[in-house]
Amino acid sequence: MVLDAHPKDEILQLHRMGLAMSKALGRGLLQSLRARVDADVLELVRGNRSLRQARYGPMRRFLRLWIVDRPVVGLAAYGILLGALVLIEWAAGRFAPSLLSRVTDSDFAKNAAGLFLVAQVGILVVLTVAISVVTLLTQRDDGSAVNTDVRLYYFESYAYELGTSAILLSIVLVAQLFWPLQPLVEFIAGEKSVDHFKFWVTAIHAAWLILNFYLFLHFINTTLRFVEPQSRARLRKQYSANEIIPRDVGRRLLGAYYAHAPAQIFGTEEVQKGPLISFGMGLISDHQAVTEISRSFKAPSRLVDVWLLPLGFALRRWQQRTKKQSSPRNRFGNSGWDGHLAVLTDFARVHDGKSELVVREGGAPLTRLERVLIGMSFRFTSVDPREDSLPTPTDFIEQLISKVVNQIDAGSPNGFDDALKEAVDFHSFALEAQNTRDEGGLLVNLAQVNDGPFKRPDFELLREYRRAYTAAINKMTSDGWFVHGMSQLVVRLWPGDPEAYPSSVLQNILDLGRHQVAIFEAWVTKRAVIAAPEAAAPDLAGSDLSAYEDALIHFVTSWEGLEQLIVSSYGLRQSLRAGDEAYWKACGSSWPSLQTHMRNTAFFLAAAVWNEDLAGSDRFRDLLLRWVQTFYAELQDLYPFRDALMLTPDMLHARWLDAQAAAIRTLMYPQQQPGAKPVFGMVLREAYYDGLAITGAVLLHWFATKQQPSFATAHTAMLVLRRETLPDSGNTLLEPGAAAKSVFRLVFDLLVREALHSPFDEAKYSAYLEGLIRLLNEMATPRMIPGRIYGGFVLDGFQTLTPELLAILAGNLPADGDEGIMDLIQRLLDVHPEFQADRTLRDFGYQFGRYAAALDGDPDQRFSVTVECFVTDPDLGTLRSRLKAIFNGVVTVIAERRLQRIQEAPLDEARLKAVRDAVQTALLADRRPGGAFLPITVSRTDLALEAREGTFGRMDRGSFTRPEMSGITFGELPPIFAEAARNFFRNIMWGTSSTSDRR
């Protein structure tokens, strides 16, 4: 299965989610897209445990197959049954006349019809009253776009089907009073067959009446249960599992597969080369658009299927003809063909009247055959209003959250608890019911399949809770019960088996905490009182302050409990009993969630500081500083580690034996064999330190740039970097040595870890660090208007914070020496595998050289302000010189080691030969004037021969070694040498010619 995105980014989105497309999009003889989606939905229904458990029983499935939404089918079946009965009567009268004499009561049919009719009228009366009462009770204006409870009741009670069946049977019974088929039976089977025929027709009507009584019993049972919240929740899950989720998933998968169809038909590279073919998008510029296929629709219609086999055949023919009729153009360094064929229709668009389906800009016109094939490939049908009006899981959540908001506004704690429980239960079910695996076996949650270009259901489900957060926080001063309940929301949504979900789904759930804090800060900003002293931050007062502090304490308690819940849900403690390998695997599974939890904790603090929330700053700072104490058991045996900064979270993707080997290299005494528990503790601690360093640097950046100039901003940053918790707020449960690292090493180690890999490699820890800076700094990032073009290159991440990071180092330099930095670099160069790679050395040399260059000249205002936060009356020149000497020393050591490795590495003779061959081939093949070996005329001359020499200038020896040790790939070199040789000989020839002419 695949996920949807905006068509332009479809391929990128597919790869990001790890979804394989190993099998064709289509299915069947004509490669039907609808058939493929139906098969995938069926696979989801059969493979998902939640959907299986919520399936209807056999009787309900039988009724849905024959009755629900099929009154015409029921009437047709009744007509066929009557026709078959007439034929049976004819056969009985001709071949077994003795059977017709067994029916003696001729008035039975008439009396039974009257009784049946009375029963049907009674059913209809009760049905009408019950529907009216339930509709009035549930049809309340709660702010929801769709009243899902009313639709749920109508659907689950079979009210429409029961009413239709009762009315149809009543009509049939009225007609039975006159027996319109009696003449036909007498004519075909004889007069003796009439009473027999009437008896069996009455028996059929009796069976129909029994079916109606069964439906009526189901209707009454559903009606009585519907008023109970638990029963209503169970009905909602059944309805969603059997109808809503399969239809909703199928609809979104159709759009996803359809948008990906060009890449599937032609391949990603061919689509990029052109001519461009797009589905569901318009032309890039339509000033030269030509309509190729149009169609007139008599009724509103929608695309329901695409046959990819004839469509692909036609589009390939058009693409090949377009390439033959034109030459490729160079676009941004890549060759490609012009022309764009756009299929305008998609599965969401409704066509009425004349509509353009396929338009073209440039390229070859479509042939008649191609138009026919493309036209037949797109299958349309009339729009079904009932299908369009079906709710989605988001609609259910919207109404459930509206009930929560109503209970908050009404001040009903019990009603609030019940309504929130109902919403959380359904949300958890809706997510769990869409868990599946793709063709490659990777976990996928289909709630992440886009619903159109800009809507993702998993985001839409979470967004609804903002209304409940806002209502609860606004009620906080008068009644804190509601905000305390909402603070437990993420804990209640956290699944019992998180390993059954993709990590992205779990990260989205954890991001709900950021929604609540954002609404907290909005409330504080509106109610804060500006203090009297100049430059003091505004603060709350009175009952507002008391209520807010109480809410903060409950939120912090819930968030810390969530961290422990994450640890227990992944079974970290239990897996330790199974051995180091199992424990390490559990650690790797839990890390994305733990990392997101820590990242969001840092965001809470940044949001509070940005909004000058003094109470929130203290509580969230304490929450961040205590984040690591959950792992106090893992942090008890840390003393053997010396170079723990090299234990990055990237290790958690490796097998335990490889991770253990990496951990041994960081020990003071390598002969020790560390277990998985202390190694994971070190990975956590170092990542925790990185989070503290980045958070402190971002806060100081705001202070130095005067984006948040209050002293509280700088003070909070210093407390974070110094790891000072809130006084009298509890024991940290950690040994003093478990959190011991100077501010200087805290930041310097961060710079080392960031430089290990490219920030553009999203799979590496360096990219996460860049993303953390962007997240924390997004409140200070200028807003951009969608649709506008912004020029220039905006620096972000570590480049944004360079002055502050250097200033923190300068303000916390050790009294003497470099605190072991040079010894650390030497050890890393000697034993660490990352530093055996030439690219790592080049990146380090560049990065630390950039830091050294930033310390040249006079200090800027940002550097000065940040240093003064740590040092009173600092000697900035001396501090910068000392810090620059440290960075220069690192750069020098790395450059010397790299030069030594390049000089010691053997030259690759095959590469040297490749360059010589390229030069020779280029010179011999050059037939232009001035070429080296053109045909010449030999004659005597008195001119003396003149030797000419040329050099290629400086060459990187690392390009000719094995392994390669250069930033320039060797494949780029032979053409460069060949062109240089041609120019050398050309200059000689033209120079000689000019001299001869002058002479």
Side-chain angles (χ1 to χ4, degrees), residues 317-331:
R317 290 187 79 236
W318 175 81
Q319 191 180 64
Q320 292 169 2
R321 287 191 298 104
T322 298
K323 289 182 178 180
K324 289 179 180 179
Q325 295 178 12
S326 61
S327 300
R329 292 187 180 182
N330 189 286
R331 294 182 288 190

Side-chain angles (χ1 to χ4, degrees), residues 871-908:
V871 181
T872 304
D873 298 326
D875 183 352
L876 296 178
T878 301
L879 294 178
R880 289 170 68 87
S881 297
R882 286 189 59 196
L883 185 59
K884 181 178 175 62
I886 293 175
F887 279 111
N888 282 335
V890 172
V891 172
T892 300
V893 169
I894 289 178
E896 291 175 351
R897 181 61 60 91
R898 180 170 182 265
L899 178 60
Q900 176 187 350
R901 291 178 182 175
I902 291 176
Q903 291 174 341
E904 293 175 354
L907 290 174
D908 187 342

Side-chain angles (χ1 to χ4, degrees), residues 250 402 569 585 824:
S402 295
S569 65
K585 183 178 179 181
L824 167 69

Side-chain angles (χ1 to χ4, degrees), residues 596-895:
T596 303
H597 187 276
M598 181 173 63
R599 179 200 68 184
N600 289 348
T601 307
F603 177 87
F604 300 160
L605 175 58
V609 171
W610 178 258
N611 290 281
E612 299 183 293
D613 174 10
L614 300 183
S617 297
D618 286 340
R619 289 295 176 185
F620 292 141
R621 169 174 58 84
D622 190 66
L623 175 64
L624 176 61
L625 293 176
R626 294 175 185 274
W627 185 88
V628 77
Q629 79 176 25
T630 299
F631 305 95
Y632 67 91
E634 284 81 358
L635 296 173
Q636 297 303 308
D637 189 19
L638 306 182
Y639 301 100
F641 294 92
R642 178 172 54 181
D643 300 328
L645 80 162
M646 299 308 297
L647 301 179
T648 69
D650 293 331
M651 293 174 54
L652 295 170
H653 303 299
R655 297 182 307 113
W656 162 240
L657 292 179
D658 296 332
Q660 185 182 44
I664 290 174
R665 288 188 289 268
T666 68
L667 297 175
M668 295 182 185
Y669 308 103
Q671 66 270 18
Q672 296 181 358
Q673 296 290 323
K677 183 178 175 182
V679 174
F680 183 55
M682 289 305 304
V683 172
L684 285 169
R685 192 191 74 161
E686 295 301 316
Y688 160 76
Y689 282 157
D690 292 341
L692 298 185
I694 287 175
T695 304
V698 168
L699 300 185
L700 288 173
H701 171 70
W702 293 348
F703 179 72
T705 56
K706 299 183 178 180
Q707 296 180 89
Q708 186 47 273
S710 69
F711 175 73
T713 302
H715 182 64
T716 302
M718 290 187 291
L719 292 177
V720 169
L721 292 172
R722 292 168 179 166
R723 280 142 287 159
E724 296 184 19
T725 58
L726 194 65
D728 302 323
S729 58
N731 197 322
T732 62
L733 303 179
L734 297 175
E735 294 291 332
K741 184 183 275 195
S742 68
V743 175
F744 178 80
R745 283 300 301 267
L746 188 78
V747 175
F748 193 89
D749 289 359
L750 169 66
L751 299 182
V752 172
R753 287 155 67 85
E754 184 272 335
L756 282 176
H757 300 103
S758 168
F760 303 106
D761 188 350
E762 294 186 1
K764 296 296 184 181
Y765 181 61
S766 299
Y768 162 77
L769 295 176
E770 291 279 338
L772 178 59
I773 295 175
R774 286 193 294 270
L775 173 68
L776 300 183
N777 200 37
E778 69 179 9
M779 287 165 276
T781 303
R783 300 295 186 263
M784 295 185 180
I785 299 175
R788 292 187 180 178
I789 299 175
Y790 292 85
F793 178 74
V794 180
L795 299 179
D796 60 3
F798 279 86
Q799 295 190 57
T800 302
L801 302 181
T802 295
E804 288 75 25
L805 291 169
L806 294 177
I808 295 171
L809 290 172
N812 293 274
L813 280 168
D816 297 307
D818 61 2
E819 203 169 326
I821 294 298
M822 297 309 300
D823 292 340
L824 167 69
I825 298 299
Q826 289 287 359
R827 288 195 301 272
L828 297 181
L829 290 171
D830 290 338
V831 302
H832 201 278
E834 291 279 1
F835 285 82
Q836 306 310 307
D838 186 72
R839 178 169 181 173
T840 301
L841 299 189
R842 294 198 312 268
D843 291 345
F844 258 78
Y846 166 77
Q847 195 74 291
F848 279 69
R850 189 174 65 83
Y851 293 140
L855 293 168
D856 290 332
D858 296 329
D860 60 8
Q861 180 262 346
R862 291 166 58 184
F863 184 91
S864 304
V865 170
T866 305
V867 171
E868 289 169 358
C869 293
F870 298 94
V871 181
T872 304
D873 298 326
D875 183 352
L876 296 178
T878 301
L879 294 178
R880 289 170 68 87
S881 297
R882 286 189 59 196
L883 185 59
K884 181 178 175 62
I886 293 175
F887 279 111
N888 282 335
V890 172
V891 172
T892 300
V893 169
I894 289 178

